[in-house]
């Protein structure tokens, strides 16, 4: 069961309540380079990104928000650190949401309140982003010493089990993240502002999971899920699938970002794959392909990769299977909307469980794509 949260709106996208779990990403361009930023946002939109965030490190970046907004059709979020004036300018420019970590804003609460009042006046949403890295480092060291070493009555030191010490440390850190987030929320509520969602990110999967679980038990504000600085394509995808997957399977999470050290367009398919695997969204292609083995009779790896790449922009839910031989091929292919089961230098194409035709290996790709196109609405089939 998905946890019930209150609903907020970021531009025309609803977050929380019964809204679909929204997929977000962040540009890697210099925001002030409007052409490059808009081009990257269009590429993100093409693969299904539903909300996009841009970094606003300087006033030059804040001042182009309005221009970028005019040229894109998904909600825009301004990522603000340190200088509250950047948030105020982004709001004046018409941004849909600001993401702030109140803990690093100059003048702290006073600055946050200025941003909250401006956001409230213009109907702009806000993400309160608490990262484990922004929790006081000195406090962390003191805490680590507390949990790893205990003074016995006879004056000698007892060392804790390292795994147990890590668990206690993780729980304490998660608790402090949650306490901070709840405190920042209370500042907003005192100003009668509620268009908030919250992220509690950490690069350590288990810390993030612990923090999100604790927060979800104590607040009904929507939750933005993410494992921060998760790593490269493989590392980051695995960490995100694990952390976000654990939480989503427990019904926690209203929007998410898979953070990767890769082109942002690569984050979107990973995010949708996580959501599809948990049957939380069914957008796009559910892809089934065999890993290949010593029985393989076609170049299944090349065909599978190429088919997946060519169908990356499809939004209609559809299942496609590419299988290497007759052992599992016909069964899996028959269950898919479109399937290819390889044989000796040729393959059988299935559509909705029916054999359509047998084609030679050099026609696999075209044959699969043609069958998929026949099941898509006209706008997507091209
Ligand atoms: Fe191997 Fe055939 Fe299974 Fe593919 S479908 S993994 S080729 S046995």
């Amino acid at each position: 069961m998905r946890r019930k949260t209150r609903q907020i709106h970021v531009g025309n996208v609803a977050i929380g309540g019964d809204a679909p779990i929204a997929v977000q990403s962040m540009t890697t361009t210099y925001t002030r380079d409007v052409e490059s930023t808009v081009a990257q946002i269009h590429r993100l939109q093409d693969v299904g990104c539903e909300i996009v965030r841009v970094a606003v490190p300087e006033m030059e970046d804040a001042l182009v928000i309005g221009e970028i907004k005019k040229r894109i059709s998904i909600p825009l979020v301004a990522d603000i650190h340190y200088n509250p004036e950047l948030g105020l300018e982004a709001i004046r420019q018409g941004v849909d949401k600001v993401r702030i970590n109140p803990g690093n804003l100059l003048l702290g609460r006073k600055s946050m309140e200025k941003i909250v009042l401006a956001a409230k006046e213009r109907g702009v949403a806000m993400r309160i982003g608490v990262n484990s890295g922004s929790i006081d480092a000195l406090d962390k060291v003191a805490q680590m010493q507390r949990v790893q070493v205990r003074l016995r009555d006879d004056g000698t030191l007892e060392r804790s089990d390292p795994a147990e010490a890590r668990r206690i440390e993780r729980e304490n850190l998660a608790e402090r993240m949650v306490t901070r987030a709840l405190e920042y929320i209370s500042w907003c509520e005192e100003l009668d502002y509620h268009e908030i969602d919250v992220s509690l990110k950490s690069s350590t999967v288990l810390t993030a999971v612990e923090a999100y679980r604790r927060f979800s038990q104590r607040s009904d504000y929507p939750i933005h899920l993410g494992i921060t600085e998760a790593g490269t394509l493989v590392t980051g995808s695995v960490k995100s699938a694990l952390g976000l997957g654990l939480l989503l399977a427990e019904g926690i999470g209203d929007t998410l970002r898979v953070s990767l050290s890769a082109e942002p367009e690569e984050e979107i398919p990973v995010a949708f794959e996580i959501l599809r695997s948990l049957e939380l969204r069914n957008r796009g292609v559910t892809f089934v392909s065999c890993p290949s083995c010593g029985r393989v009779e076609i170049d299944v790896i090349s065909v599978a990769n190429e088919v997946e790449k060519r169908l990356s922009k499809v939004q209609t839910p559809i299942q496609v299977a590419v299988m290497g031989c007759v052992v599992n091929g016909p069964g899996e292919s028959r269950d898919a909307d479109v399937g290819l089961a390889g044989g000796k230098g040729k393959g059988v194409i299935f559509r909705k469980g029916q054999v359509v035709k047998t084609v030679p290996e050099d026609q696999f790709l075209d044959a699969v794509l043609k069958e998929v196109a026949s099941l898509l609405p006209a706008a997507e089939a091209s």
Side-chain angles (χ1 to χ4, degrees):
M1 284 288 284
R2 195 161 153 213
R3 171 183 155 265
K4 190 82 185 150
T5 51
R6 60 176 79 201
Q7 192 167 78
I8 66 164
H9 288 86
V10 181
N12 56 4
V13 173
I15 292 180
D18 55 3
I21 296 168
V23 171
Q24 312 197 15
S25 186
M26 186 169 182
T27 54
T28 54
T29 55
Y30 292 115
T31 304
R32 69 197 73 169
D33 177 354
V34 174
E35 290 307 318
S36 306
T37 302
V38 168
Q40 191 170 60
I41 294 175
H42 286 161
R43 291 197 296 277
L44 280 163
Q45 277 181 231
D46 279 351
V47 290
C49 179
E50 294 163 316
I51 298 174
V52 67
R53 181 159 51 118
V54 293
V56 182
E58 304 284 346
M59 193 50 83
E60 284 169 276
D61 304 294
L63 288 167
V64 297
I65 293 276
E67 180 61 27
I68 294 171
K69 267 286 295 170
K70 273 189 228 152
R71 294 170 58 183
I72 64 172
S73 58
I74 54 175
L76 186 65
V77 184
D79 192 71
I80 308 294
H81 291 273
Y82 312 121
N83 182 357
E85 293 304 321
L86 301 173
L88 295 172
E89 183 56 37
I91 291 170
R92 274 193 290 273
Q93 291 278 330
V95 81
D96 298 294
K97 183 179 185 184
V98 283
R99 182 270 181 196
I100 59 170
N101 177 354
N104 73 17
L105 274 184
L106 299 173
L107 300 180
R109 180 169 184 172
K110 210 168 154 194
S111 299
M112 182 174 172
E113 288 182 344
K114 273 168 110 178
I115 297 176
V116 166
L117 289 173
K120 186 180 166 190
E121 193 185 323
R122 296 216 179 206
V124 171
M126 177 184 290
R127 164 143 71 96
I128 294 176
V130 176
N131 280 20
S132 63
S134 66
I135 301 288
D136 186 0
L138 273 178
D139 200 13
K140 265 191 207 169
V141 172
Q143 182 204 342
M144 229 158 66
Q145 287 169 348
R146 269 201 310 276
V147 298
Q148 289 184 352
V149 182
R150 194 173 69 84
L151 193 61
R152 293 193 189 96
D153 291 343
D154 65 1
T156 58
L157 292 178
E158 178 189 317
R159 293 206 168 270
S160 332
D161 167 26
E164 177 66 1
R166 276 199 304 279
R167 183 186 65 75
I168 296 171
E169 185 193 339
R170 189 164 61 234
E171 288 181 357
N172 286 348
L173 179 56
E175 182 58 29
R176 281 178 301 140
M177 290 166 72
V178 171
T179 306
R180 289 277 172 93
L182 293 171
E183 184 187 358
Y184 299 146
I185 288 174
S186 74
W187 296 354
C188 297
E189 287 178 333
E190 282 181 34
L191 297 171
D192 195 25
Y193 177 74
H194 306 275
E195 287 295 296
I196 307 162
D197 64 9
V198 173
S199 62
L200 298 147
K201 295 190 181 182
S202 170
S203 56
T204 309
V205 172
L206 293 177
T207 302
V209 168
E210 184 69 33
Y212 280 118
R213 277 180 180 150
R214 285 171 181 244
F215 181 83
S216 73
Q217 285 163 8
R218 279 148 65 184
S219 172
D220 68 349
Y221 280 98
I223 288 178
H224 169 90
L225 294 180
I227 304 296
T228 195
E229 292 120 26
T232 52
L233 186 59
V234 172
T235 317
S237 299
V238 172
K239 281 194 200 173
S240 297
L242 192 61
L244 275 49
L246 278 169
L247 292 161
L248 290 163
E250 293 171 18
I252 299 169
D254 302 285
T255 172
L256 60 86
R257 178 191 176 197
V258 170
S259 303
L260 299 177
S261 305
E263 290 301 315
E265 299 92 290
E266 303 204 56
E267 298 180 353
I268 306 300
V270 181
F272 275 107
E273 195 57 53
I274 294 170
L275 293 172
R276 266 196 306 269
S277 301
L278 292 166
E279 298 185 8
L280 291 167
R281 297 281 304 262
N282 64 355
R283 177 197 176 282
V285 180
T286 300
F287 199 66
V288 177
S289 65
C290 83
S292 166
C293 73
R295 288 192 190 86
V296 74
E297 292 171 331
I298 62 169
D299 183 1
V300 71
I301 295 173
S302 305
V303 179
N305 279 294
E306 195 57 28
V307 169
E308 188 176 49
K309 195 166 118 197
R310 298 277 200 103
L311 298 178
S312 63
K313 293 183 184 172
V314 169
Q315 297 187 22
T316 303
I318 187 166
Q319 186 167 344
V320 178
V322 175
M323 303 295 291
C325 79
V326 292
V327 173
N328 293 319
E332 289 286 356
S333 301
R334 224 174 257 130
D335 289 343
D337 293 305
V338 174
L340 163 71
K344 279 197 190 322
K346 53 189 178 184
V348 182
I349 303 288
F350 293 84
R351 178 164 23 121
K352 304 256 185 210
Q354 303 296 320
V355 174
V356 177
K357 57 185 166 183
T358 300
V359 292
E361 193 155 1
D362 62 352
Q363 291 174 26
F364 284 172
L365 189 60
D366 286 346
V368 171
L369 295 176
K370 198 171 150 208
E371 289 308 321
V372 172
S374 74
L375 296 174
L376 296 177
E380 280 197 288
S382 52

